Amino acid sequence: MADLYAQLRPASFRGFAFDIPADTVRAGRRVQTSQFPGRDEPLHEDLGLDLRQFTVEAIIHGPEFRARADGFENVLLTKGPGSLIHPHFGEMDVIVKGHERSHADSETGVVRFSVTFEKYGAPLVLAAGSGSAEALSASTADVFGSIEADFIKRFSVADLPAFISGDALGRVESYVSNLRSGLGNLAALLEFPTAVLDPAATLAGQMRGLFEGIAALAKPFKKPALSFKQSPTANVNALALANTLSRASQLDLSQNFTGSAASISTRTRNAQALDLMMRGNTLAAAVSSSRYANYGSREEALAFRRSMVERIAALRDAMAAAEWDDSTAATGTMAAALSRDISERLGRLPYTVRIQTRGLRPSVVLSHRIYGDNLADVLPQAGDIVTRNRVRHPGMVPAGDLEVLLDAS
């Protein structure tokens, strides 16, 4: 036991020594639990290690204990990380989350502090070539390729009556028309192919090229390389594009065919193959676009992730039922890559909160009441209130429910 105590290092923070009679350490993993309508089992996503937190009971005593206690408190209140030497865990960089100072009549000459430290994490900057973003791109490429291969195995109109190919062509044209309408002005930047059904590989290649071209719209400051009429004149909002594609993946899957049993079977098989190809390509393009998304808050990122994971799960179920085994596996990998990419960004995103206002007010007035007197904060956040809540005029923010940044700075 004597050897153990001899190995302990004297405690200090930023070089200021103190005694530690007791301490506790909090650690664990961050697990996000999501529940979806119609699914009994929840989804648990491991977001990595949780914050490692140390609560230290520090004692200042001896000659000039009050002056030393004041000095220690000033050290604790200093901005930024500092070096903590812990008797058991050694030296580490930490941030002070808070402290309590206490005195007792029964302990003359003693000041006690309860200090909570968190292990410091250096600021992260998400680079376009980061691991999670590269994994996201690789996973969507696998989905595009797997869907193309599975579709070719299952779709055919060769040597079949014209009404069967007519069914399929009408289905493709209807979907492409809806997609063009959903993209709005962005549709003008793309070359939409005239569908060729036979051989199936031609149609699969056309659709893959179209959706890879749509996803490429999200790349900042770059002209997409695939089938474009003209260069974009401004950056595309990647998150808005991803959300548009996600909504477009919700197809009308009705199949009301009549005729002989053989023709109904063939038409149903082709319709199913087309639906899975279109849904899969659309969601792959949405995930690919999200690589360049700028989320305005943690809540926005988590909402997008929940929506996408739910839709990808439904697609995987349909692919598995149709025995599209390669596409099923690739789509699952894509969902995991999306979750990991968003999880890595969460720590760098601000929180939001919803507030209720009782009357019509200018955005600057609201911002002043929420964020204080600093003009450098008030004006930018007034603009954020307008943009975030889609207010028509900054001088007239209507009464009601508003979303505002909670930790704006």
Side-chain angles (χ1 to χ4, degrees):
M1 184 65 71
D3 291 340
L4 172 63
Y5 284 113
Q7 295 172 7
L8 298 182
R9 301 178 63 179
S12 67
F13 178 58
R14 291 194 171 110
F16 199 107
F18 54 88
D19 293 333
I20 299 183
D23 69 275
T24 58
V25 179
R26 177 187 174 277
R29 301 195 68 82
R30 292 171 291 135
V31 178
Q32 172 72 33
T33 302
S34 301
Q35 293 180 289
F36 306 108
R39 298 176 67 89
D40 294 333
E41 299 299 326
L43 173 67
H44 292 101
E45 298 173 88
D46 193 319
L47 308 184
L49 289 173
D50 203 352
L51 296 171
R52 192 168 180 82
Q53 195 173 77
F54 303 83
T55 300
V56 171
E57 302 302 319
I59 293 180
I60 305 296
H61 60 91
E64 301 181 350
F65 71 95
R66 289 189 183 280
R68 293 187 64 241
D70 290 342
F72 183 53
E73 190 164 27
N74 287 333
V75 168
L76 295 177
L77 293 173
T78 301
K79 182 179 179 179
S83 177
L84 171 68
I85 296 180
H86 191 284
H88 296 280
F89 300 108
E91 186 172 0
M92 68 194 81
D93 288 333
V94 296
I95 286 287
V96 179
K97 290 290 291 183
H99 74 272
E100 294 181 353
R101 176 175 175 168
S102 62
H103 314 78
D105 291 341
S106 59
E107 293 183 315
T108 303
V110 175
V111 180
R112 293 182 178 269
F113 289 85
S114 178
V115 188
T116 300
F117 299 100
E118 282 183 1
K119 194 169 182 180
Y120 176 67
L124 298 176
V125 177
L126 183 65
S130 71
S132 66
E134 290 298 330
L136 199 63
S137 293
S139 70
T140 55
D142 287 344
V143 170
F144 281 127
S146 298
I147 288 174
E148 187 174 13
D150 277 330
F151 176 79
I152 291 170
K153 295 176 186 176
R154 291 163 176 83
F155 178 87
S156 177
V157 294
D159 302 322
L160 293 175
F163 70 88
I164 291 181
S165 60
D167 285 342
L169 185 59
R171 205 170 187 86
V172 173
E173 290 177 343
S174 176
Y175 187 75
V176 170
S177 175
N178 289 337
L179 180 65
R180 190 197 301 266
S181 176
L183 290 172
N185 293 335
L186 295 179
L189 303 174
L190 294 154
E191 285 285 0
F192 284 83
T194 301
V196 177
L197 302 184
D198 188 24
T202 300
L203 178 61
Q206 285 178 327
M207 292 301 109
R208 176 177 179 174
L210 172 63
F211 283 99
E212 286 180 331
I214 294 172
L217 283 170
K219 293 182 180 179
F221 304 114
K222 292 181 181 180
K223 177 182 177 180
L226 298 170
S227 301
F228 277 79
K229 295 179 179 179
Q230 61 191 65
S231 300
T233 56
N235 284 341
V236 172
N237 185 318
L239 182 58
L241 177 60
N243 278 316
T244 294
L245 290 166
S246 177
R247 290 190 295 270
S249 72
Q250 306 306 292
L251 295 175
D252 177 7
L253 303 182
S254 58
Q255 300 172 1
N256 299 314
F257 299 124
T258 60
S260 67
S263 70
I264 291 175
S265 175
T266 300
R267 295 156 80 184
T268 300
R269 184 189 69 241
N270 281 345
Q272 181 187 58
L274 286 169
D275 291 340
L276 290 178
M277 179 187 67
M278 292 297 191
R279 291 172 68 191
N281 279 338
T282 308
L283 284 176
V287 173
S288 182
S289 302
S290 74
R291 171 179 176 174
Y292 303 99
N294 292 316
Y295 302 102
S297 67
R298 291 172 173 85
E299 292 78 7
E300 185 175 45
L302 289 171
F304 177 75
R305 184 176 69 181
R306 282 194 296 270
S307 171
M308 288 297 297
V309 167
E310 182 176 358
R311 288 174 179 176
I312 292 172
L315 174 64
R316 286 192 68 211
D317 290 344
M319 286 177 165
E323 298 182 352
W324 287 35
D325 296 336
D326 290 342
S327 296
T328 302
T331 304
T333 301
M334 181 177 71
L338 174 66
S339 291
R340 184 164 59 251
D341 182 63
I342 293 178
S343 296
E344 287 192 8
R345 304 197 204 188
L346 287 178
R348 302 183 294 278
L349 295 173
Y351 287 101
T352 61
V353 67
R354 303 204 74 85
I355 64 171
Q356 289 286 332
T357 59
R358 296 183 180 180
L360 189 71
R361 290 186 176 89
S363 59
V364 172
V365 173
L366 282 173
S367 181
H368 174 260
R369 295 187 64 179
I370 296 169
Y371 302 110
D373 297 328
N374 188 343
L375 193 61
D377 292 335
V378 170
L379 293 180
Q381 299 313 325
D384 182 81
I385 290 171
V386 171
T387 303
R388 187 175 297 278
N389 295 280
R390 297 178 176 85
V391 176
R392 292 187 178 182
H393 193 286
M396 296 181 291
V397 179
D401 185 58
L402 293 176
E403 181 184 80
V404 299
L405 290 175
L406 181 62
D407 51 356
S409 59

